[in-house]
Amino acid sequence: MSAAGDRPIIEAGPEGGFALGPLDGLLNLARKHSLWYLLFGTACCAIELMQTGGPRADADRFGFLFRPTPRQADVLILAGTITYRMASRIRRLHEQMAEPRYVIAMGSCANTGGLFQGSYSVVKGGDLIVPVDVYIPGCPPRPEALLEGLMLLQQKVEREPYLRKIRGELPLPADPWPAGKECKE
Amino acid sequence: MSPAEELATCQAALAGALGEAPTVGGAAPDPAGAAAPAGDAWLEVPAARWREACRAARDLPELGFDFLRSLAGVDRPEAGRIDVVAHLFSYRHRRALVLRTSLERAAPELDSVAQVWPAADWHERELWDLLGVRLRGHPDLRRLLLPEDWPGHPLRKDWQEPAEYRGIPTRREARATAGELAKQTYLAPRGLGRDPAGGQPDGGGGA
Amino acid sequence: MGFDLGMVLGFLVVSGVALLALLLLGKLLRPHRPEASKRVTYECGEPAVGPAWFNFNNRFYVIALVFVVFDVEVALVVPVAVVFREAVAAGAGLLAFTEMFLFLAVLLVALVYVWARGDLTWVRALTAGECREVEVGPRSPAP
């Protein structure tokens, strides 16, 4: 029995094509080419995110479409500095996304707090609030770097044992901020 | 008018309005009347006459400072004072002025000038938020930038950062344990010529 | 005729089955982790305040009514414009023109009425008689 994450064989001929592989592989193939990200950004990285969605470094050719609501989004890209006041909002947005959901920390501020290490009002990294899958370094990362990060996420999605995930046999990622559940404001 | 003369005019006008002349502080303007700006010269008024002085600065025709550029605070723990500095500008006379007052650091209170210049509303909220200066008569004095339940006033020089806020640690070193760092693997996209770092299962994330 | 209706029925059945099949496929292929926090009303991350239903300004109603009237007018004028050349060739050009002119004139009267009444201005200016002194709240600057 082939392991989950074996890449499907894809044949494209002049009259069409087919893909052959384990069910996990086929489902992940479909999923990884259709990861929709939430339109979210707080600071300069959001500008680069917009450019990545623009015509030159087109993220849409990979299937990354932006959605304004978390209900229809698969990926939350933390683009920009996160302040303590914003933390509860990010937490709420993440909770409102339906599973399977992923988080990408884009830029120094979302990775570790960035250049605002000494600031009292900046959260030192998005992974103190929500579980992060991919970290993209840069200040801000160029659109090419963001695309590389998105491709890494695609690889991660590709390797997932998706059928086990549907059945609920995979453990949830560790919650970095359990007190975030009670945030009322 | 040279900057020195302008400062003297403003000082005289305010003296007429308040009954006592505000003192000149900062770099003294060049008495020779050079064209170069006077630099950081300011007029200092007593805190009890702050609102009167601001109103006079706006309303007196020879002053006419109808534009508040900024209202900020300076924490001086070595002198036990907190200063409030207002940068004003007059469109009619095309000149700027700096008004300054000094407050007791233990219990800093000042009259709000939000009724004089509406822009002062949020500047005073920032004074309260970051320095703890209580503004009397302010229509809506609450924190502007920080969350409502934030402890203390961070721009004070003796403010201590708490270890965590609502459960979020304020320092990242707490998280960087050896085990956690080892779990984070870097993967290169296939076909770019770099070796992937082995097929290890992933650390964090991946709901 | 019977064959056409059969096609319609087949179409309805197939589309219904396809819809159900896709929904079933979705249900089989997604994780199921219901949580109360997922059903919270979305308000850009802020805690939701107030009801989702609110009173619309009735300017929208007025503008929509006016739009419907003139949209129908356009829809009725366009066919005449399309065949106008043939009507001219058949000698009824003047008749067609006069009829359309009268039709548009009636609706022009309606437009003038709506315009003069002030229904087309988005923000209506108040006349002196409609104003009264209100107490100024604390946030207004004192003169």
Side-chain angles (χ1 to χ4, degrees), chain A residues 27 68 70-71 89 92-93 95-97 99-101 162 165-166 170 172 184-185, chain C residues 27-33 35 37-48:
Chain A
L27 289 173
R71 314 298 191 192
R89 276 78 170 167
R92 205 167 285 117
L93 282 174
E95 283 175 0
Q96 288 172 352
M97 288 166 69
E99 267 138 17
R101 60 189 175 203
Y162 190 54
K165 192 167 190 169
I166 298 175
L170 285 187
L172 279 176
K184 284 291 158 275
E185 197 261 2
Chain C
K27 189 166 168 48
L28 293 174
L29 287 182
R30 59 174 172 251
H32 181 65
R33 284 216 173 98
E35 273 178 49
S37 58
K38 284 186 185 168
R39 283 195 292 270
V40 168
T41 306
Y42 169 65
E43 199 165 303
C44 299
E46 300 277 337

Side-chain angles (χ1 to χ4, degrees), chain C residues 1-15:
Chain C
M1 179 69 171
F3 179 71
D4 288 334
L5 284 182
M7 251 174 36
V8 170
L9 179 64
F11 193 69
L12 284 173
V13 166
V14 167
S15 59

Side-chain angles (χ1 to χ4, degrees), chain A residues 73-102:
Chain A
D74 302 299
V75 188
L76 171 62
I77 302 182
L78 294 176
T81 319
I82 302 170
T83 52
Y84 286 105
R85 211 164 176 177
M86 195 64 196
S88 58
R89 276 78 170 167
I90 293 176
R91 175 81 189 189
R92 205 167 285 117
L93 282 174
H94 184 247
E95 283 175 0
Q96 288 172 352
M97 288 166 69
E99 267 138 17
R101 60 189 175 203
Y102 306 91

Side-chain angles (χ1 to χ4, degrees), chain B residues 11 16 62 67 103 114 150 163:
Chain B
Q11 185 182 23
E62 60 269 24
F67 180 44
L103 311 170
W150 190 262

Side-chain angles (χ1 to χ4, degrees), chain A residues 15-136:
Chain A
E15 288 166 14
F18 65 89
L20 179 71
L23 189 57
D24 264 344
L26 291 176
L27 289 173
N28 287 338
L29 174 72
R31 281 199 313 134
K32 79 174 186 181
H33 288 302
S34 167
L35 289 168
W36 293 358
Y37 62 93
L38 178 66
L39 251 190
F40 175 82
T42 47
C44 351
C45 280
I47 307 293
E48 291 294 334
L49 178 64
M50 295 173 208
Q51 294 310 310
T52 311
R56 188 164 180 167
D58 190 6
D60 201 348
R61 61 194 154 125
F62 294 96
F64 290 101
L65 192 60
F66 57 82
R67 304 305 295 169
T69 160
R71 314 298 191 192
Q72 300 165 3
D74 302 299
V75 188
L76 171 62
I77 302 182
L78 294 176
T81 319
I82 302 170
T83 52
Y84 286 105
R85 211 164 176 177
M86 195 64 196
S88 58
R89 276 78 170 167
I90 293 176
R91 175 81 189 189
R92 205 167 285 117
L93 282 174
H94 184 247
E95 283 175 0
Q96 288 172 352
M97 288 166 69
E99 267 138 17
R101 60 189 175 203
Y102 306 91
V103 178
I104 294 181
M106 174 188 178
S108 301
C109 292
N111 288 348
T112 61
L115 77 158
F116 302 111
Q117 286 303 305
S119 170
Y120 47 85
S121 59
V122 169
V123 178
K124 308 296 184 293
D127 56 359
L128 297 177
I129 301 168
V130 290
V132 172
D133 293 279
V134 174
Y135 297 82
I136 305 175

Side-chain angles (χ1 to χ4, degrees), chain C residues 2-143:
Chain C
F3 179 71
D4 288 334
L5 284 182
M7 251 174 36
V8 170
L9 179 64
F11 193 69
L12 284 173
V13 166
V14 167
S15 59
V17 166
L19 176 64
L20 287 173
L22 283 173
L23 289 175
L24 184 67
L25 194 66
K27 189 166 168 48
L28 293 174
L29 287 182
R30 59 174 172 251
H32 181 65
R33 284 216 173 98
E35 273 178 49
S37 58
K38 284 186 185 168
R39 283 195 292 270
V40 168
T41 306
Y42 169 65
E43 199 165 303
C44 299
E46 300 277 337
V49 168
W53 290 51
F54 59 95
N55 291 335
F56 271 85
N57 197 316
N58 48 13
R59 293 178 214 149
F60 288 104
Y61 175 66
V62 172
I63 296 289
L65 272 184
V66 171
F67 167 75
V68 164
V69 167
F70 288 97
D71 201 34
V72 170
E73 170 192 5
V74 168
L76 291 174
V77 166
V78 164
V80 177
V82 165
V83 299
F84 193 69
R85 199 162 283 186
E86 296 167 18
V88 166
L94 188 60
L95 175 65
F97 181 76
T98 317
E99 278 192 18
M100 276 300 114
F101 186 79
L102 288 174
F103 177 61
L104 287 176
V106 168
L107 284 169
L108 188 68
V109 170
L111 176 65
V112 167
Y113 169 72
V114 162
W115 192 340
R117 208 168 169 275
D119 283 334
L120 293 181
T121 48
W122 192 248
V123 181
R124 299 181 69 145
L126 294 174
T127 59
E130 290 169 343
C131 289
R132 62 181 173 87
E133 279 290 319
V134 255
E135 237 182 44
V136 167
R139 297 192 73 83
S140 311

